[in-house]
Amino acid sequence: MAAGKGKRLRPVTLKTPKPLVEVNGTRIIDTIIRGLHANGIYDIYIVTGYMKEKFANLESEYPGVKLIYNEFYDTSNNISSLYAAREYIPNSIILDGDQIINNPEVLKPEFSRSGYNAVIINNSTSEWLLDVHDGIIKSCNRFGGNQGWQLYSISRWTKEDGEKLKRHLEIEFGEKHNEKIYWDDLALFVYPEQYKLGISEMKSDDVIEIDNINELAELDKNYRRLLKNMHKKFLDNIDPATTLIPFMSVFALCALFMLYPEKSSSALNSIRNFLGDTLGTFYLVIGLGIFLVSLWIAFSDIGKIVLGKPDEKPQFSFWKWGAMLFTCGLAADILFYSLCEWIYYAGEEHVKSMGSIQDWASTFPLFHWGLIPWSFYAVLAACFGFMLHVKGVNRQKYSEACRPILGNMTGKLPGKFIDILAVSALIAGTATTFSVATPLLSSVVSKITHGGGGLI
């Protein structure tokens, strides 16, 4: 199984698939193939996806190796890789292609029961942990635990269980389009009653799984300089002005609000009245203008531009994208406002003066949740999407979106001012979200658990 992008090993895997990464002069996948050969196993199928062309030479290097391409590697979990190789599951060993095999004995071909390689542990782990009784897997905890058998990505499948697993792949991935689960979920969580899996005991140093760049640097000193450069590059990429000034400003304002609550409340009300009353008409005009711009983007030729490569397929379906955008946009507001926003408007003197409180209090939320506010999100999203995925600009700053207007001034004072203002708004907005949601969730938890609200 070698189709993944190996994101946790970036930047090494930006140019090399994880199974082909060298550790102390040997590619990871070479340790697997040689371990299989040491056990007399030469019929080897490698499922590729990410940078598939990099694996092409393996077929000539190792007789018996055959490559299978997983076209869904970029949009699905590893269930798609096993689905691509489902015809070869019966009487097989299934391995992840990013493990270093130190002891070929763990790949021995003799087995009478399907199951996983596992290591007994007595300490805490966040890896998948098996509960085993009399050599049979009874359950699996994907979040780990304190004691049990740690599962490794080496498994064996009899002819009978292999046929069963193949059918379950066809049902879950082929028919139900269940794309986001691991293939291991089928036997361990989805259809556990249909399998009686065992374990093949091994030692913790028989196989090495590299989960991040730090672990890679510990194994191979040649990557330590890269790791050091990464840390330096990270610090160099931090802009002190747009990082420290907004944070210190918001922190100072919070301190003033706590020290002078009454004066702060009066000042905030004055600002709110100025923005809501004095600039209210201006805000409405801007809102309508943004709404019209969003319609123009959607129905003009601009709306046909693919946010990515011209032939790139969407990573998620239309409804999945819509659901994620909707929930991200609402955030904590849906918890706080969904039931009580009309009450908030009903208490406003302006609403009371308009006549029927019931009619107007339920009308104002339409502006808050209607098309116009979503247009603000949509226009900005289109600008940033075009900037990042079409133009390939890696600097995710508001000033970069204004470069066509600012030109060479983007990296100077005008651009800095825009970024400082934007980051300050993001920090303040996040703080507001937590201030709204935390007391509400605290009350809910207290009500459910009959605990003291003060303690929570």
Side-chain angles (χ1 to χ4, degrees):
M1 307 276 279
K5 293 183 176 181
K7 292 181 180 180
R8 289 181 291 181
L9 241 60
R10 288 181 176 176
V12 176
T13 51
L14 290 175
K15 295 183 178 180
T16 305
K18 188 177 178 182
L20 299 180
V21 169
E22 289 191 6
V23 181
N24 295 316
T26 303
R27 295 176 305 187
I28 294 175
I29 203 168
D30 289 328
T31 69
I32 299 174
I33 297 176
R34 292 169 186 173
L36 291 170
H37 284 182
N39 284 279
I41 301 172
Y42 291 89
D43 289 332
I44 303 170
Y45 297 88
I46 301 176
V47 183
T48 66
Y50 177 62
M51 293 189 182
K52 65 174 183 176
E53 66 281 356
K54 299 278 188 177
F55 293 88
N57 291 335
L58 289 177
E59 290 182 316
S60 58
E61 290 180 39
Y62 296 103
V65 167
K66 300 178 184 64
L67 303 181
I68 301 172
Y69 178 61
N70 171 18
E71 61 178 318
F72 304 105
Y73 80 92
D74 198 28
T75 57
S76 303
N77 211 327
N78 71 1
I79 186 174
S80 62
S81 287
L82 194 57
Y83 179 81
R86 63 191 182 279
E87 300 297 333
Y88 308 102
I89 297 176
N91 285 327
S92 71
I93 301 177
I94 302 175
L95 310 95
D96 280 355
D98 58 358
Q99 308 171 93
I100 298 176
I101 305 298
N102 286 332
N103 181 9
E105 285 292 317
V106 301
L107 301 180
K108 59 184 179 181
E110 299 82 19
F111 64 97
S112 58
R113 182 187 298 278
S114 302
Y116 285 87
N117 280 35
V119 172
I120 185 69
I121 62 167
N122 296 308
N123 54 352
S124 178
T125 180
S126 59
E127 301 291 341
W128 288 28
L129 204 62
L130 302 172
D131 181 25
V132 179
H133 294 279
D134 298 326
I136 303 299
I137 298 173
K138 296 298 182 181
S139 64
C140 176
N141 188 335
R142 68 173 78 244
F143 303 107
N146 295 320
Q147 195 174 34
W149 290 89
Q150 180 179 329
L151 178 149
Y152 277 72
S153 299
I154 302 173
S155 61
R156 294 167 174 81
W157 300 88
T158 63
K159 184 177 187 301
E160 180 183 355
D161 286 336
E163 293 289 353
K164 199 182 302 180
L165 182 58
K166 173 189 171 185
R167 179 56 186 151
H168 289 155
L169 282 164
E170 291 170 345
I171 292 172
E172 294 299 322
F173 185 81
E175 298 174 14
K176 295 183 179 180
H177 305 291
N178 198 351
E179 304 171 347
K180 300 306 175 184
I181 64 173
Y182 296 102
W183 73 262
D184 307 87
D185 289 349
L186 298 178
L188 294 173
F189 299 105
V190 183
Y191 302 99
E193 71 285 350
Q194 298 190 34
Y195 297 89
K196 196 173 182 180
L197 304 178
I199 60 167
S200 179
E201 185 175 355
M202 67 179 197
K203 298 178 181 179
S204 59
D205 57 353
D206 287 341
V207 176
I208 298 177
E209 295 179 337
I210 304 174
D211 291 328
N212 54 61
I213 192 70
N214 292 294
E215 293 180 4
L216 179 61
E218 288 179 9
L219 287 173
D220 189 339
K221 63 181 181 181
N222 292 317
Y223 293 99
R224 294 175 187 173
R225 178 176 294 179
L226 171 65
L227 188 62
K228 184 178 179 180
N229 290 338
M230 284 174 58
H231 292 159
K232 184 177 183 299
K233 185 177 180 181
F234 173 76
L235 294 175
D236 290 342
N237 285 337
I238 294 177
D239 187 341
T242 56
T243 303
L244 297 178
I245 294 177
F247 176 78
M248 296 304 296
S249 299
V250 173
F251 182 81
L253 287 172
C254 290
L256 288 173
F257 295 159
M258 288 188 291
L259 291 173
Y260 307 101
E262 294 182 1
K263 292 182 179 180
S264 299
S265 178
S266 176
L268 288 174
N269 284 332
S270 298
I271 295 172
R272 180 175 175 274
N273 291 333
F274 173 75
L275 295 175
D277 296 337
T278 307
L279 297 181
T281 303
F282 175 74
Y283 179 75
L284 292 174
V285 171
I286 290 293
L288 179 60
I290 291 291
F291 173 65
L292 295 175
V293 169
S294 67
L295 291 178
W296 172 67
I297 291 176
F299 295 104
S300 68
D301 290 339
I302 295 177
K304 298 178 183 178
I305 297 175
V306 176
L307 296 181
K309 298 177 182 177
D311 57 345
E312 191 172 355
K313 297 179 181 178
Q315 188 172 3
F316 301 101
S317 68
F318 174 81
W319 292 108
K320 287 180 180 179
W321 274 121
M324 288 187 286
L325 290 170
F326 184 73
T327 51
C328 289
L330 295 180
D333 288 348
I334 193 64
L335 296 173
F336 184 78
Y337 283 115
S338 57
L339 296 177
C340 61
E341 186 172 5
W342 70 273
I343 302 174
Y344 172 77
Y345 291 120
E348 289 285 336
E349 292 296 329
H350 178 65
V351 174
K352 291 179 181 179
S353 67
M354 296 177 70
S356 174
I357 295 178
Q358 183 176 357
D359 291 339
W360 285 106
S362 57
T363 299
F364 270 74
L366 295 177
F367 182 79
H368 190 183
W369 303 100
L371 295 174
I372 290 180
W374 281 100
S375 298
F376 282 96
Y377 296 132
V379 171
L380 286 174
C383 293
F384 272 89
F386 183 81
M387 178 180 75
L388 296 172
H389 302 298
V390 179
K391 288 296 186 180
V393 178
N394 293 324
R395 299 183 66 188
Q396 300 182 31
K397 292 184 175 183
Y398 279 82
S399 59
E400 285 297 326
C402 300
R403 183 173 289 276
I405 299 174
L406 296 178
N408 295 331
M409 299 300 290
T410 304
K412 298 180 180 179
L413 188 60
K416 295 281 187 184
F417 176 76
I418 291 174
D419 291 331
I420 290 172
L421 190 64
V423 175
S424 299
L426 288 172
I427 295 174
T430 304
T432 302
T433 297
F434 279 109
S435 67
V436 168
T438 303
L440 179 63
L441 293 175
S442 176
S443 299
V444 171
V445 173
S446 298
K447 185 72 174 179
I448 293 173
T449 60
H450 304 289
L455 292 175
I456 296 177

